[in-house]
Amino acid sequence: MTEGRSYRFTHFLCREPARSVTDGLREGGGPNPDADLFARQHSDYVAALRQLGDVTVLPPLDAFPDSVFIEDAALCAAGCAIQLRPGAPSRFGEAAALRPALEDAVGDVIDLPGDGRVDGGDVLLSDNEAFIGLSARTDEAGFDALANVLSNLGYRARRVETPPEILHFKTDCGLLDSETIFSTRALAATGCFEGYRVIEAPAGEEAAANLIRVNDLVFVAAGHPKTCDLLSTRGYEIREFDISEAAKVDGGLSCMSLRFSARTTGVD
Ligand code: CIR
């Protein structure tokens, strides 16, 4: 196991938002995202990733309004990609549509065995552990299957009950470094991060919890000044992103990319 493999990446896979993103799933209604603004915000995110590694941007898939949230259809770990089985019926076909790109970009692609469901948004990888949150999208059979695959890749699986009001486990947390997790107070209070240092999202800034550490930067959703101050004080270098349109369809920073390291680099 390489220290830092959970946040050191050489490659990124993204998918352009489709015009149909206006039909994206969302809990509790709310306005449609503006497709043009979404595309601009997505371009900013991709541009930032381009400064950190090789980025492949896949074409939009109009048949799948949520396909910009590419993280839910696959998981990259230890130089492999695992093709998942997303839990929302309208998203099920995204995984097969992604497969050729996974084969091109990552190489080794493993099918999630069985018929359980897992959304990538429910999986948080540290260097040697996989937190897998059971949720409305990820079921017991999916947990068992993924835990088994990941154990062959050197990860111990930790089963977490995601509180029912949280869509995905990572809606409410993100990895800051090999030992440190940023989390909402509500999720941390479940005790699921035992053994890790936890930094809690400031009250009122719970939406900042879905941050991502990418190499030496921490990507944070704009509009969370207390979070930025807190993390800067702790020595993290912050990059802010306006993701107002993704947020309208329950999307965040983690779900708009698959992040991995090419095996040949020896980083992973
Ligand atoms: C969905 O409900 O599936 C999408 N509208 C949002 C998915 C966000 N994905 C994530 O947080 N991993």
Side-chain angles (χ1 to χ4, degrees):
M1 185 270 288
T2 310
E3 171 80 6
R5 74 169 171 169
S6 48
Y7 61 89
R8 298 242 163 247
F9 308 108
T10 59
H11 289 70
F12 308 97
L13 199 52
C14 299
R15 186 178 293 287
E16 267 182 50
R19 302 296 301 176
S20 62
V21 73
T22 48
D23 296 326
L25 297 173
R26 72 209 77 168
E27 303 274 304
N32 288 346
D34 176 313
D36 293 318
L37 182 54
F38 199 135
R40 288 199 295 278
Q41 293 178 344
H42 189 261
S43 294
D44 290 344
Y45 176 86
V46 167
L49 291 177
R50 283 197 203 284
Q51 293 177 342
L52 300 169
D54 284 358
V55 185
T56 303
V57 182
L58 302 173
L61 290 178
D62 250 322
F64 297 108
D66 287 298
S67 53
V68 62
F69 304 122
I70 191 169
E71 172 187 69
D72 291 320
L75 177 71
C76 294
C80 299
I82 302 157
Q83 184 180 319
L84 300 176
R85 212 172 289 104
S90 67
R91 303 199 60 189
F92 190 63
E94 286 179 34
L98 181 58
R99 190 180 183 104
L102 289 177
E103 286 170 354
D104 282 352
V106 187
D108 283 348
V109 182
I110 301 166
D111 290 308
L112 186 71
D115 58 7
R117 301 293 171 120
V118 178
D119 271 17
D122 284 318
V123 186
L124 179 73
L125 295 179
S126 72
D127 288 343
N128 57 4
E129 255 192 306
F131 296 81
I132 304 174
L134 298 181
S135 73
R137 303 288 179 85
T138 296
D139 60 18
E140 292 278 1
F143 169 84
D144 289 343
L146 185 59
N148 196 35
V149 171
L150 287 171
S151 88
N152 293 327
L153 298 176
Y155 292 88
R156 202 169 48 245
R158 193 186 284 213
R159 181 183 180 286
V160 178
E161 298 279 355
T162 310
E165 66 279 11
I166 300 173
L167 173 63
H168 285 121
F169 177 60
K170 278 191 300 192
T171 305
D172 270 37
C173 66
L175 190 89
L176 281 168
D177 58 43
S178 299
E179 295 94 32
T180 315
I181 289 166
F182 189 69
S183 172
T184 61
R185 174 162 293 194
L187 184 58
T190 67
C192 64
F193 299 121
E194 194 186 332
Y196 289 76
R197 189 183 307 120
V198 175
I199 300 179
E200 287 184 3
E205 295 197 0
E206 287 75 12
N210 176 255
L211 51 66
I212 47 173
R213 172 79 187 264
V214 188
N215 299 342
D216 293 329
L217 292 179
V218 178
F219 287 22
V220 177
H224 301 103
K226 288 189 243 169
T227 298
C228 292
D229 285 352
L230 174 63
L231 296 180
S232 300
T233 305
R234 302 288 186 102
Y236 297 102
E237 191 177 341
I238 306 299
R239 180 77 198 264
E240 290 182 77
F241 293 87
D242 188 350
I243 53 163
S244 61
E245 303 315 288
K248 287 177 183 164
V249 277
D250 300 341
L253 289 164
S254 70
C255 46
M256 292 193 285
S257 57
L258 286 167
R259 303 165 293 280
F260 57 99
S261 289
R263 270 199 165 159
T264 49
T265 65
V267 172
D268 206 348

